[in-house]
Each structure stands twice: as structure tokens, then as C-alpha cells.
Amino acid sequence: MANSHQLKRVDFIFRNDNDWEKILSSTIKKKPQELINELISSELKGRGGAGFPTGLKWKFCSQEKADKKYVICNADEGEPGTFKDREILSKVPYKVLTAMAVCGYIIGANEGFIYLRGEYKFLEPELNKAINEFEYYCKEINLDFKIKIFMGSGAYICGEETALLESMEGRRGEPRNKPPFPTQSGYMGKPTVVNNVETLVHTFTIFKFGAKKFYDLGVQYSRGTKLFSVSGDTPKPGIFELELGMSLQDFVYEFGDGDTKAVQVGGASGYLVPRKKFKDAAIGFKGKLTGISLPTGGSMMLFNSSRSMFNVLDNYLEFFREESCGQCTPCRVGCQQLLLGIKAVKRGEKPASYLNKLMRLTETMQLTAKCGLGQSVANSFSSIVENFQEEMIY
Amino acid sequence: MANKLNVSINGFPVKIEKGKTILEAADEQGIKIPTLCYHKDLCVAGNCRVCVVEVEGQNRLSAACSTPCEDGMEILTNSLKVRNSRKHIIELLLTEHNADCTKCYRNGNCELQKLASDYKIMTQDFIELVPLKKYSIDMFSPSIIKDDSKCIRCQRCVRTCAELQGVHALTVAHKGDQMKITTFFEKAMRDVVCTNCGQCVNHCPTGALVEKNYIEEVWEAISNPAKHVIVQTAPAVRVGLGEELGLEPGSRVTGQMVAALKRLGFDSVLDTNFTADLTIVEEGNELLTRLKKALVDKDKNVKLPMATSCSPGWIKYMEHIYPEFLGHLSTCKSPQQMFGALAKTYYAKARNLQPENIVSVSIMPCTAKKFEAYRPEMHDSGYRDVDYVLTTRELAILIKQAGLDFNKLEPVKYDRLMGESTGAGVIFGASGGVMEAALRTTYELVTGRDVPFENLNIEPVRGMKGIKEAFIKIENPLEEWAFLDGVELRCAVAHGLVNAKKVMNAVKDGKVDYHFIEFMGCPGGCLGGGGQPIPTNAEIRKKRADAIYAEDGNMPMRKSHQNPEVLKLYKDFLKEPLGEVSHHLLHTKYTVRKHY
Amino acid sequence: MDPIQSLVKDLADEYGRKRESLLPILQGVVEREKYLSEYSMVEIAREVDIPAAEVYGTATFYSFLETKPTGKYIIRICKTITCAMKGKNQMLFAIQDMLKIKLGETTPDNRFSLLESNCLGWCHKAPAMLINNEVYTELTPEKVRDILSGYMKQNGQI
């Protein structure tokens, strides 16, 4: 049974006290190790979807010995149903830039990039203005840190950190073999921290208010708050900062339209939770708290009873089939097989039992695909097919 | 000290060097983990996912080829999870692959076929993707056929063309289900910078890239009583052919090969090594002429360094990438083409044959030779000088089709007039061989003495290093060559086009000062050519090279200018090196081609 | 030097002539020319000294780097789940009806090209579309018609 948390609205991310200059100059007066410990004790995890502990990432990178290091802000937000990073960059860009500079200070990097997806090109002029002002201030306080925007050109897979690095190096965005990890060998082979936009803003909050304030929110293994992008069949579409660990039932009470049949948590790479399982699910990272725990970049799409789950899955598989980089067999061919497979079952060309074969295929994809895209297709596929099998067949 | 790690593979403890991958560790233990995109010659890709293994504590499987071993790793290479995953992956590959094996050129020697057979993939539950795709076959190139319906997108060909050859004719394009291996703007290979070297062919695991074969055309010619079919065999073929017929790499099968060719029905079985010797005489004189122009006449326009011109892949590469240096190429044709020109003139006359009834066939370790034979300028005999080029692989097919038991054949000698050769001719098949042959002759021509290396083995130009150098000082030359006294002859050897690029860039930038450079398009020289048996790797190429130098060591004559048939050719026909007849039949021009 | 050559040269002067410079240069050409022709790719290959096949392979990876001729205004309608649910097909019909072209096509006067794209990041205001770099959200068929009329009135100077 999930702990029932009231949906506490919090306002760390978008509140703008216009104090970034003060925060920046005071933070870099502290020792890097102290700041890393602060991040580690906050238990902040990456907010882009993968959920790696941020403090550890910055620590590993700072330990690498190299003549050059980089900080990269991953603004290639492309997970269906996610639009929070866009809002952050337009409303509170200075928090992002400050966090990047602090990261640079800690790991020993003097150059940062913002990989901005091509679909957000309209943000570029304002963002450049902010960067100019930011760099001006950095010079004033003798902080050596420059930031440049690198534009993407329409490739969801470039949100994967090694694909992003490949793209920045002028190549196709095909994920790399890991190890080595970007903190060891990243942009141009140098140690690099790649962090999601929201993650960086949370570090700002932690540097400003201290780790405890962040840690006290949320639940075990899922500390702090998260931005949720809510869309679909909801009277309240938009972006909301909420504590992690809330039960999905509470979420639906707040955001559903009274007829919520299912919620897609985490975008097309996430899980579809049917109504009967709302009370068993909580939003957070893997932990012992609940029956299902749902890692997430924050995309929440609500579907009411008028929606066909077949159409939903079909849409997701089309998405993956197109956006896969195509390099590895299980993902490239697997996505095609899954899409054609559910169409064939629906048309009656293949028996319903074929869905079981496809479920086993998604297990293989999860085990063998080279990157998170191929590994995550199983999430939505299995959750939809298991919970709505009748809709796949009739 | 702590350079060894302790891992366990399938329960057995193993000590492995730090930095090795799981694949390498397993291989050392005699455990073969199946692979597709992995190739010893190329960088690790890790995209086919066939080599996945289970590592204790990891919730996903790891690709053995790209995962370095870590201390304490417990690896399972054949657990149920691994087997089931691997079977799925092979099944997936088969759905996007034209699996009509009986109609495929690589039937019997295909890595995907072997995997499907080893894992007994006897049912196909997944949906066939091939009928839904609009795959195309590119048959425009005279050398290579590219069949997209068989491509498993392992990207070996792309990596080969980029890393091994530096040509970059192939690339990966688009993404998702549209991802494919193709050329610039998806043009035919004939219309881009492809040099026809065929390295992509001998690195391709399936039948997606194969040579254009002329087997039926050759059979028809042989069966036609009105035609006199001449065949010439390249030096590298005799140390590669055995691999296609069940023998170990490095087996020398010269005599049996000649016997087989006779049994197949060729009317004259002759040797490209003969014209290799001829090339040395012509090219050696050409080099000395250029040196004289430079050192005596102080001619500023003379093109030095001079570059060899027997590798058609290298020639096409020059024509695309360094057209401003075409004047540096020797004007000598390749031995194949010199042979072709002489076969329908000199040989025809001597044997009383009508040249229009001669069909000239060559057996080459090379796919670019197919392109070379069809270059428009190659008809100086008055007819197409070489009609058909067969690769080593195609010759093996002819032998199998004829039902010959290769191992039972008694060795036979080549026919006369254009079948005699020296050791200098046979080493053309190895990187450094042309240079060594040229030096043996030129040095003696200039000084009257043997080249100062023990047993005439010029070691500095031998071996698999990408770029090799040899500097030989000329002292006390014959009077005619007095201008060379004290001159240090500076020579370089490069094999594999990526090394050719390095040397040419150094020449372009003025960083080096050579007189003579041997360029071979393929790694190892012709013995690693695109038409040689598949598979290929550094170990196999070394064995073939050892065989070539063993052939050389065992020959009674080891210098090109000693070849009696070559001397007879000059006496009866050519008159003198670089003379009028030579000029007409044995020398050629080059074409400027688009850089991109 | 023709316009493409000078454009490529200027871009290379700005972004450099290394492999890392490739993407900004490709984007710069697309920004002005709307798509990458064979000629422009050869020029980029020449200017940056990258094999032409690599330029092509890299460009075709990215959905916004078109390699087929397009019109001045490229309409990209989002087809991912929320926009699909909120009526993307209705928008498509409206556009197709007004411009008389189907998906993937360009109007005869070369003004508009119609393409689909994946999630644009405006799901709470679906359906959404891009026209070149401008984003339009909360679309209705009327709104779409108004927006397109606005573009038609422009003098073609983009």
C-alpha cells in the first residue's frame, strides 16, 4: 500500500529571487570537496530520466586528471510529453548557467556547452543574451568559465549522453560503448559532466539552501522535488513542481478529468499504469517503498476512457522506429518487429499468442540493446500489452 | 605488477591482462564467443549485439567485444539468458536479410549463415521485413556488386573503407528503420570515389558486397573451339588459392594451380610474373631517366618522387584525390595490362594466332583489376587487352565446378614464351616486393654489382609496417651512371590506401624527399587484395607473405633482368626499354577524376 | 565564388574547419537555403576537408537537415501521442485542403513544404506545429488557416 502523500506544490525551480550572482560568488568560495559532499548527501539524482546520482557524477569527473574538462547541459528534451526544460531555459536560465559554472569550478572545467534541441531554436537569442550577461559577471568575479550554445537538428536519440557527445563532435548521434563513461572520456575524449537542465537547477537550489532542505522533501531513494509535465486528458495541463514519492492515485485525483483510464509515466520510454494499479504506484526512483516504482523524466500523460491503448502503443512504437539511431540489431529490427507485430495481431493476421513472443522480444531488447532507447521500449510495451491485452486484439 | 586481473569464465578462474576485453579473454581460453560486427583488422563497433554475455551483478547483458575485463568479473558465455537473447538477435537479423541462401554468392562462406546453422534457427516466427523494404542492388561497378537486401548493417565495410583504406566511399545514412549503408547521395559505387580495391568485399560477413564475377563468360570462352583462351596468374594468387580449397594459409600451390588451369581447358597457361619482370626493366629505366633529367639536365619539371603504377586501386585513388600529382606516377602499365597488350600482339604472332580469336583472362587477387581491364585506354593491342579478370575466389569456384581434386594434382610448369619468371617477379605480390625487385635490377644496372643485402633480401622494405623506408647509397657506379655517384637513393613503401594518403600528404607538404615510392592499395600488398580468400586478417596475411618470400628464395633466378623470356622479348619485339614499341604497348596515361 | 561557396566559406570562417564544426555549418546552410543540395554538400566537404560521404551520412541522420529540395516555409506538424490525441489529423486536413499538397510534398510555387515531426515539447498546448523556427500551439483548423494566410501574404523575403 502506498504512503499517501498530499500533493505538495513546491516552488524551488521557478522562483526567481534574482540572486544568482550572490549564489555563484559565494558558492565558489567553498572548497570543491565540500560542495561535492553537499550534493552527495542531498541524494539528488539526474532528472532527465536516467536518474544517476549527481553528486557521484561530479565527484568522478573531478577525480579525473586531464588538461581539459567540459560541462554540458543536456537540453535535448525530446521524451514525448516532456516540456519542462524549455520552460526552465526561458524563465530561469541564470540558474542553469550558475550551476554549470559551479560544476566547472568543482571539476576543473572552464568551458561549458548547452546542447539545445533544434525544435527550441526560438530560445537561442534570449539564451545568448543571458549567457553574455553571465560571462560578464564571471569576468568580474575572476571566474574563468565560458558557455556556448550548440544546436541540435532533430534527433531524439541525441538526448542520450554519449549520442549527444557524438553529435557535438560533428558525427551521427550514435551512442557509444560504455565504458568508458563521459566522466572519464567525454567530449573530444576529455572528462565531461553531462547533466539535464532540471538537474542543474536542483543543484542551484542545493547550493543556495543546503542539502538538507532538498533531502527533507520526497521519500527514501527519491529525495527532493521534480518538475512534472502534465498533458493529455487533463483539465490542468502544464508544468508542476511536486515532491517525489507521491502516489499515482493522488496525482490522478488532482490532475485527472474524472475518467482517467491510464497514466503514462515517463513518456514513451516509461510505464503505462492502468487505473486499477494507481494506488500501488508511486513516482520516484527504484526503491523498496511501493509495489511499482517508476523512474521518470517527469512526463505524465493522462488517457481517459475514450482513448484506445492500441493507438497509444502504436504511436510510441512509430516514434521509436523512427528515432532509433539504427546501429544495434535488437533496437533497429526489434522496434520494427514490435510495431508490425501489434498491427498484425490487431488485423487478425497473427494470433493473440504472438503477443507473448513479442513480450519475450522486448525482454531481449532490454537485455541486449546498446543504449537506453532500445532498453526502454520494453517498459511501455509490456505495461500496455499486459494491462490492456484485449485492446491489442479486438 | 598488478597488470593481471582475476576473472572467471563459465566458472573457471582465469588470469587475464588488464585492458583485454571479455572476447579476448574468452578466446585465450579457447572459448569462441560468436561475433558479427567484430573484425580483428578494425576498431571495435559493438553494434550487432551477437557477442552478448552475462556478467554477474549486471542486470543487462554485456557485449563481449567492447567490455573490458574487470577484476572479479564472473562471466557466463552460454547461459540460458545468453542463448535465448542470441537466438533472438540472429532471428531479427534474418528478418531484414534476404535469406535465400541457395541463390547467394556467399552460400557456404557466410557468417550469418553459419550463425543460423550453429544455433539451429529452423523456424521464423517474426515478420519478414525484406518484402516490405525497397532494397536495391547496385550492379553498375565493373568490380563490386552491392546488394542491400543482404546487409546486416554491421558497418564493417564502412569502417574498412574509412579506417583501413582512408577512402570513405561508404557511409551510414539516415536513422531508425531507414538506416542503411550507402555512398554519397546514394549514388552507384561507380560514380563516387570508390577505388574498387574490394577491401569491403573481403571484410563483409555476408553476400551484401561481392565481386562481379565473370565465371560463365570464361566457361563459354573455354568451351568455344574457335577461341584461344589465354590465362595469366598473378603472384599473390599462388599463395592464396590453397585457402579456398581446404589448405592452410600460406600454402604454395603454384604447380598445382597451373595443372588445374590446364585441366579447366585454358589453351595457354602463362604467368603475370613474366610481365612483372618486364615491368621492372621498363620502370627501372624510367626511374633512371628521371634521375638523369633531375641530376644532370637540372630539369625543374621532372616529376620526382616517382610512384609505382601497378595497383589500379591506388591509381584510381590518385586520380580522385591527388590529380595534381599524376605526373609522378610511372607511365608503365601494370603487369596485368602489359601482359594483355603483348598477348594479342607478340604472343599471337609467335604462335600464329588471330588476335580477334584470343580471349585473354587473368586470375588476380584483386577486384580493382576488373575495373582496370575495362579502362577505355586499355586496348593498345587493337583489341580489349584483357577480356575477363577473375579473382582467386572465382578460380576456386571454377576448380570446384570442374570437379577437380586439387590436392591430387601433379604440379605442372607454365607454358613457354610468357611463362618464365624470376624471384623478383613473384615478390610483386607482397608489399615492398616491387621496390625490392626494382632495386635488385636498378642497382646492378647502375653499379654492375649485386644490391648490398644478404641473399638479395632487402629486409627494410619487407614486413607489415604501414610505411617502410630504404636508403641505399650508390658508390662507384659504372661510367654511364657516374652522375649517381654518392647519391643516396631514397625509397619508401606504403600499403593500404590510408598509408598511401599519409605518404602523399607528406610529399605534398614537402616533409619528405624520396626518389621512388611503391604504393599498394591493399593491406599487406596484393596478397591481402580484395579478391583473395575470405576471411582475412593480419595473421593470415603474414603467412601468405612468408610463402611469397619462400617462393622467391627457391627460384633459380632472382633478378628481373635475368629472365631469358624477357630478354627474348626485347630482342625479337620491343628492341629496347622505353623504345617505340614499349611506348605504344606498355605505357599508359591517367585520368583526372572528381575529388568528391 | 557563387552564393553557396561564399556562404560555406563564411560559415567555415565562423565555426572552424574541423569535424566538430560540421553540424553548425550544415545548420547554417539549411538556415538560408532551407535544404542541403548535392552541390552544397560537396562545397562543405571541400571547405572543411571531410569526405563527401561523411557529410551526407551525418546530415541525413538529423531530421531537420533536409537533403531533398524544400519550400521556403517548412511546416512540421507534431504527430506524437498528445498532439495526435488532440487533433493533429484535423490540422493536417486543413493544411492539405488549403495548400493542396500531401505530406512530404512542396507547393508548386515553392512556398510551403509539409512534413511531420515528433514531439516538439508543447504537449500541454497541443496540437502544435513549427513553421521553420516559429512554433504555433493550441491549433484549430481556423487558426491554421490564419497562420498560413499570414505567410502567404509575406513577400517571400525570409
Side-chain angles (χ1 to χ4, degrees):
Chain A
M1 201 45 193
N3 280 348
S4 185
H5 287 254
Q6 284 310 100
L7 282 195
K8 198 159 99 174
R9 302 282 176 91
V10 196
D11 192 23
F12 283 121
I13 305 248
F14 288 114
R15 102 201 237 155
N16 194 354
D17 297 327
N18 277 318
D19 56 356
W20 63 271
E21 286 156 321
K22 191 174 99 214
I23 303 298
L24 177 58
S25 53
S26 61
T27 307
I28 61 172
K29 288 206 178 79
K30 303 192 183 145
K31 289 206 183 55
Q33 192 54 53
E34 192 187 319
L35 296 169
I36 290 178
N37 291 340
E38 195 77 1
L39 278 183
I40 291 180
S41 52
S42 74
E43 290 192 20
L44 168 65
K45 294 187 172 144
R47 294 295 195 248
F52 190 83
T54 310
L56 276 184
K57 189 182 271 194
W58 290 23
K59 177 168 156 200
F60 290 151
C61 196
S62 70
Q63 286 168 340
E64 293 287 327
K65 295 206 194 332
D67 58 346
K68 194 108 174 91
K69 294 185 187 176
Y70 296 97
V71 179
I72 299 183
C73 167
N74 184 345
D76 192 59
E77 168 171 78
E79 189 64 54
T82 319
F83 38 93
K84 56 168 177 91
D85 291 339
R86 174 178 48 68
E87 203 88 344
I88 294 176
L89 288 170
S90 39
K91 293 216 169 93
V92 287
Y94 293 98
K95 291 194 184 181
V96 179
L97 304 175
T98 304
M100 287 173 73
V102 173
C103 178
Y105 163 71
I106 292 175
I107 67 173
N110 61 0
E111 228 179 297
F113 292 95
I114 299 179
Y115 188 100
L116 184 63
R117 70 185 300 222
E119 294 86 336
Y120 290 169
K121 184 136 172 88
F122 53 85
L123 289 177
E124 204 187 6
E126 283 299 312
L127 205 47
N128 267 327
K129 272 211 212 111
I131 290 175
N132 279 339
E133 211 186 300
F134 182 82
E135 285 183 346
Y136 190 76
Y137 181 70
C138 283
K139 257 209 312 235
E140 275 189 13
I141 62 172
N142 260 329
L143 179 60
D144 181 14
F145 196 74
K146 294 261 176 6
I147 300 180
K148 276 221 274 282
I149 296 181
F150 187 97
M151 290 303 304
S153 279
Y156 163 80
I157 186 62
C158 286
E160 199 277 341
E161 58 180 4
T162 58
L164 187 155
L165 294 170
E166 285 291 294
S167 179
M168 282 189 61
E169 292 183 17
R171 290 191 286 270
R172 296 164 54 83
E174 294 181 350
R176 300 175 175 170
N177 290 310
K178 294 198 270 205
F181 295 90
T183 46
Q184 302 161 298
S185 170
Y187 182 58
M188 306 303 286
K190 304 292 179 192
T192 308
V193 163
V194 181
N195 268 137
N196 173 263
V197 174
E198 188 191 339
T199 312
L200 289 168
V201 178
H202 283 294
T203 68
F204 183 93
T205 304
I206 292 166
F207 294 136
K208 174 166 171 173
F209 291 108
K212 187 169 185 310
K213 196 112 187 215
F214 182 87
Y215 183 91
D216 282 347
L217 295 165
V219 297
Q220 194 187 28
Y221 303 118
S222 305
R223 297 286 167 195
T225 61
K226 173 109 192 53
L227 283 182
F228 290 94
S229 311
V230 183
S231 68
D233 296 318
T234 166
K236 296 186 196 166
I239 298 171
F240 303 89
E241 186 177 356
L242 303 167
E243 269 189 86
L244 279 175
M246 67 180 160
S247 97
L248 197 52
Q249 185 70 78
D250 292 339
F251 176 83
V252 173
Y253 281 148
E254 171 100 31
F255 290 99
D257 66 355
D259 185 25
T260 307
K261 175 171 159 186
V263 179
Q264 183 79 26
V265 181
S269 324
Y271 293 87
L272 187 87
V273 187
R275 182 186 304 149
K276 60 181 189 268
K277 293 200 178 145
F278 287 166
K279 56 186 182 350
D280 296 327
I283 314 297
F285 301 96
K286 277 215 173 3
K288 299 191 186 102
L289 179 65
T290 60
I292 318 170
S293 62
L294 306 160
T296 175
S299 158
M300 308 288 278
M301 296 188 288
L302 292 95
F303 303 117
N304 64 24
S305 60
S306 73
R307 305 298 176 189
S308 148
M309 291 302 114
F310 173 83
N311 286 348
V312 169
L313 182 57
D314 185 82
N315 193 287
Y316 294 160
L317 292 173
E318 278 272 3
F319 177 83
F320 286 128
R321 182 180 72 164
E322 272 178 32
E323 296 290 346
S324 161
C325 75
Q327 103 177 271
C328 78
T329 312
C331 177
R332 178 186 72 245
V333 190
C335 289
Q336 294 175 65
Q337 286 295 340
L338 293 175
L339 179 59
L340 292 172
I342 60 166
K343 287 197 210 277
V345 170
K346 186 81 165 169
R347 282 197 297 260
E349 286 161 12
K350 287 259 186 200
S353 56
Y354 187 64
L355 290 171
N356 297 332
K357 173 119 193 163
L358 293 179
M359 290 285 280
R360 286 198 294 279
L361 173 58
T362 58
E363 275 165 39
T364 299
M365 288 169 71
Q366 191 172 48
L367 288 172
T368 62
K370 190 164 174 179
C371 84
L373 190 159
Q375 291 158 7
S376 306
V377 178
N379 297 345
S380 47
F381 190 90
S382 57
S383 53
I384 295 180
V385 168
E386 261 165 18
N387 292 305
F388 293 97
Q389 190 163 73
E390 331 70 56
E391 290 194 41
M392 299 296 125
I393 305 170
Y394 298 113
Chain B
M1 205 222 106
N3 253 341
K4 288 270 184 190
L5 303 169
N6 291 311
V7 303
S8 91
I9 303 184
N10 296 335
F12 289 100
V14 164
K15 271 205 190 323
I16 188 76
E17 221 177 277
K18 191 161 180 216
K20 296 248 170 170
T21 61
I22 296 178
L23 186 68
E24 291 167 326
D27 189 52
E28 279 182 21
Q29 297 304 307
I31 298 171
K32 270 193 75 42
I33 298 177
T35 60
L36 271 181
C37 67
Y38 176 79
H39 194 289
K40 286 202 184 123
D41 283 344
L42 307 167
C43 73
V44 168
N47 60 45
C48 70
R49 314 312 280 179
V50 168
C51 69
V52 287
V53 293
E54 203 172 332
V55 173
E56 192 71 34
Q58 300 280 332
N59 53 4
R60 297 189 212 285
L61 299 180
S62 308
C65 65
S66 57
T67 307
C69 288
E70 278 167 39
D71 207 34
M73 227 180 204
E74 286 171 46
I75 303 159
L76 296 171
T77 67
N78 196 29
S79 67
L80 192 63
K81 223 192 243 182
V82 168
R83 288 179 49 79
N84 285 341
S85 301
R86 207 171 277 156
K87 277 182 91 160
H88 262 166
I89 292 183
I90 301 171
E91 282 175 45
L92 289 177
L93 284 172
L94 289 170
T95 62
E96 68 172 0
H97 177 90
N98 173 356
D100 198 356
C101 295
T102 55
K103 298 199 177 78
C104 177
Y105 191 70
R106 289 284 294 268
N107 186 8
N109 187 12
C110 164
E111 293 183 43
L112 182 61
Q113 195 181 39
K114 180 157 193 315
L115 269 181
S117 166
D118 286 346
Y119 281 83
K120 292 292 162 250
I121 311 290
M122 300 199 290
T123 55
Q124 182 54 279
D125 292 331
F126 290 128
I127 296 175
E128 288 290 338
L129 298 176
V130 178
L132 305 169
K133 310 249 183 190
K134 292 190 238 64
Y135 285 135
S136 58
I137 304 185
D138 174 8
M139 300 181 90
F140 286 112
S141 157
S143 301
I144 300 172
I145 299 178
K146 182 169 175 293
D147 185 352
D148 288 345
S149 73
K150 298 184 185 153
C151 178
I152 58 167
R153 294 158 178 79
C154 64
Q155 298 189 31
R156 277 207 222 167
C157 55
V158 177
R159 284 141 61 207
T160 300
C161 197
E163 280 164 48
L164 216 56
Q165 294 298 77
V167 174
H168 300 270
L170 291 168
T171 184
V172 186
H174 308 290
K175 64 176 185 278
D177 62 331
Q178 302 296 312
M179 183 266 210
K180 66 197 293 200
I181 313 270
T182 183
T183 57
F184 177 61
F185 252 87
E186 307 187 37
K187 295 170 183 274
M189 285 175 74
R190 170 192 68 178
D191 295 330
V192 294
V193 300
C194 170
T195 61
N196 301 297
C197 69
Q199 287 304 306
C200 55
V201 173
N202 68 12
H203 284 81
C204 178
T206 67
L209 286 162
V210 297
E211 68 266 31
K212 199 174 230 178
N213 81 75
Y214 296 92
I215 295 174
E216 294 306 318
E217 286 87 335
V218 171
W219 277 137
E220 250 196 70
I222 290 177
S223 323
N224 187 340
K227 298 288 180 189
H228 183 104
V229 189
I230 302 183
V231 66
Q232 52 162 312
T233 60
V237 179
R238 65 206 67 196
V239 298
L241 181 62
E243 289 163 48
E244 290 284 305
L245 299 165
L247 299 171
E248 281 303 303
S251 305
R252 293 156 51 191
V253 297
T254 315
Q256 288 162 301
M257 177 177 69
V258 178
L261 288 165
K262 289 231 164 257
R263 299 265 189 117
L264 290 174
F266 286 97
D267 296 299
S268 296
V269 178
L270 300 166
D271 200 357
T272 317
N273 291 11
F274 162 79
T275 33
D277 283 332
L278 175 62
T279 305
I280 289 300
V281 178
E282 289 286 313
E283 200 158 332
N285 276 286
E286 190 189 355
L287 176 63
L288 291 170
T289 310
R290 291 198 195 191
L291 285 172
K292 189 155 187 221
K293 280 209 179 108
L295 298 172
V296 176
D297 306 337
K298 305 285 188 212
D299 186 344
K300 290 274 190 255
N301 290 329
V302 76
K303 303 285 186 211
L304 283 173
M306 189 171 93
T308 57
S309 55
C310 42
S311 169
W314 151 244
I315 297 291
K316 189 161 192 279
Y317 184 71
M318 269 284 261
E319 292 174 325
H320 279 294
I321 309 295
Y322 300 101
E324 68 276 25
F325 283 90
L326 286 176
H328 289 255
L329 285 169
S330 158
T331 55
C332 288
K333 290 182 181 174
S334 67
Q336 166 179 281
Q337 294 305 131
M338 284 198 185
F339 188 103
L342 291 174
K344 295 189 183 182
T345 52
Y346 170 69
Y347 189 81
K349 209 150 94 175
R351 291 276 182 264
N352 242 329
L353 298 162
Q354 293 296 86
E356 60 266 21
N357 290 334
I358 297 181
V359 175
S360 180
V361 178
S362 71
I363 317 287
M364 292 284 143
C366 176
T367 47
K369 291 279 175 202
K370 294 180 192 259
F371 171 80
E372 190 185 42
Y374 293 153
R375 287 178 71 115
E377 63 272 19
M378 297 296 184
H379 54 245
D380 290 322
S381 65
Y383 306 87
R384 179 139 305 283
D385 294 339
V386 177
D387 294 294
Y388 304 113
V389 177
L390 299 180
T391 57
T392 312
R393 298 187 290 258
E394 285 162 89
L395 174 57
I397 294 172
L398 292 184
I399 293 174
K400 288 180 194 162
Q401 287 180 353
L404 296 176
D405 191 343
F406 192 71
N407 290 323
K408 292 219 178 92
L409 294 173
E410 288 296 318
V412 166
K413 284 203 187 308
Y414 283 100
D415 290 336
R416 301 283 82 216
L417 209 67
M418 288 171 65
E420 182 103 55
S421 64
T422 70
V426 80
I427 57 178
F428 264 57
S431 162
V434 179
M435 181 59 70
E436 186 166 343
L439 289 172
R440 286 181 193 173
T441 288
T442 320
Y443 191 87
E444 191 173 313
L445 206 72
V446 164
T447 64
R449 307 188 296 276
D450 274 350
V451 70
F453 287 89
E454 192 175 328
N455 273 337
L456 302 178
N457 296 343
I458 307 182
E459 294 294 340
V461 300
R462 296 187 178 195
M464 292 303 172
K465 198 156 136 235
I467 301 173
K468 300 168 273 189
E469 287 175 320
F471 304 131
I472 304 181
K473 194 117 177 230
I474 312 260
E475 268 154 347
N476 296 322
L478 300 173
E479 208 187 305
E480 194 192 337
W481 308 101
F483 67 90
L484 287 172
D485 196 10
V487 169
E488 191 189 38
L489 204 57
R490 305 170 60 79
C491 309
V493 172
H495 58 112
L497 290 174
V498 76
N499 292 314
K501 184 194 271 197
K502 286 190 188 138
V503 173
M504 280 310 297
N505 282 340
V507 169
K508 200 170 161 178
D509 296 336
K511 290 204 174 102
V512 290
D513 183 24
Y514 299 123
H515 295 112
F516 189 34
I517 312 177
E518 177 205 286
F519 285 103
M520 288 202 185
C522 294
C526 309
L527 52 86
Q532 288 284 69
I534 297 167
T536 179
N537 60 48
E539 211 183 300
I540 292 176
R541 292 192 289 271
K542 172 93 184 30
K543 293 205 173 109
R544 292 178 193 160
D546 291 341
I548 288 209
Y549 288 112
E551 285 272 304
D552 165 36
N554 276 337
M555 297 203 77
M557 289 175 294
R558 309 200 39 240
K559 301 174 211 154
S560 297
H561 56 277
Q562 293 173 322
N563 186 331
E565 286 188 347
V566 169
L567 296 170
K568 182 173 164 62
L569 173 66
Y570 277 107
K571 178 158 152 294
D572 294 347
F573 191 67
L574 297 175
K575 304 301 172 205
E576 78 238 304
L578 308 180
E580 209 187 297
V581 186
S582 298
H583 209 77
H584 173 59
L585 290 179
L586 309 180
H587 290 256
T588 185
K589 323 189 279 294
Y590 304 106
T591 316
V592 175
R593 298 181 196 268
K594 282 208 300 242
H595 194 131
Y596 295 102
Chain C
M1 258 205 291
D2 65 51
I4 299 267
Q5 281 178 323
S6 63
L7 172 64
V8 171
K9 181 175 176 306
D10 290 341
L11 287 167
D13 286 340
E14 184 179 345
Y15 293 109
R17 286 172 170 75
K18 303 207 273 277
R19 186 60 194 257
E20 311 87 87
S21 326
L22 180 58
L23 225 55
I25 294 178
L26 288 169
Q27 288 160 357
V29 175
V30 168
E31 187 72 29
R32 208 186 76 177
E33 300 290 313
K34 301 298 174 267
Y35 78 105
L36 293 156
S37 62
E38 186 183 325
Y39 180 66
S40 58
M41 284 209 227
V42 170
E43 282 308 306
I44 294 175
R46 191 193 304 278
E47 191 71 37
V48 189
D49 197 22
I50 292 178
E54 293 272 320
V55 176
Y56 181 76
T58 307
T60 51
F61 182 84
Y62 298 93
S63 307
F64 282 22
L65 300 178
E66 280 294 320
T67 54
K68 295 201 185 70
T70 58
K72 264 193 200 63
Y73 306 118
I74 303 180
I75 306 167
R76 290 193 162 93
I77 276 257
C78 174
K79 65 176 163 110
T80 308
I81 186 64
T82 308
C83 287
M85 279 175 7
K86 298 288 182 180
K88 153 266 262 186
N89 279 339
Q90 265 55 261
M91 307 311 128
L92 259 185
F93 286 142
I95 299 174
Q96 286 169 339
D97 195 49
M98 192 174 178
L99 300 180
K100 307 286 184 255
I101 53 172
K102 296 204 281 288
L103 262 178
E105 292 181 351
T106 303
T107 52
D109 63 1
N110 240 18
R111 275 263 183 88
F112 296 100
S113 291
L114 180 57
L115 299 171
E116 275 177 330
S117 119
N118 279 315
C119 185
L120 297 174
W122 288 94
C123 321
H124 59 325
K125 298 201 176 155
M129 72 178 176
L130 282 173
I131 299 187
N132 290 352
N133 291 328
E134 293 298 314
V135 72
Y136 299 95
T137 61
E138 288 174 310
L139 296 174
T140 61
E142 290 81 52
K143 236 180 153 183
V144 166
R145 283 192 280 272
D146 280 338
I147 293 166
L148 289 180
S149 305
Y151 277 92
M152 283 179 185
K153 291 200 188 95
Q154 291 193 21
N155 289 1
Q157 269 268 343
I158 257 284

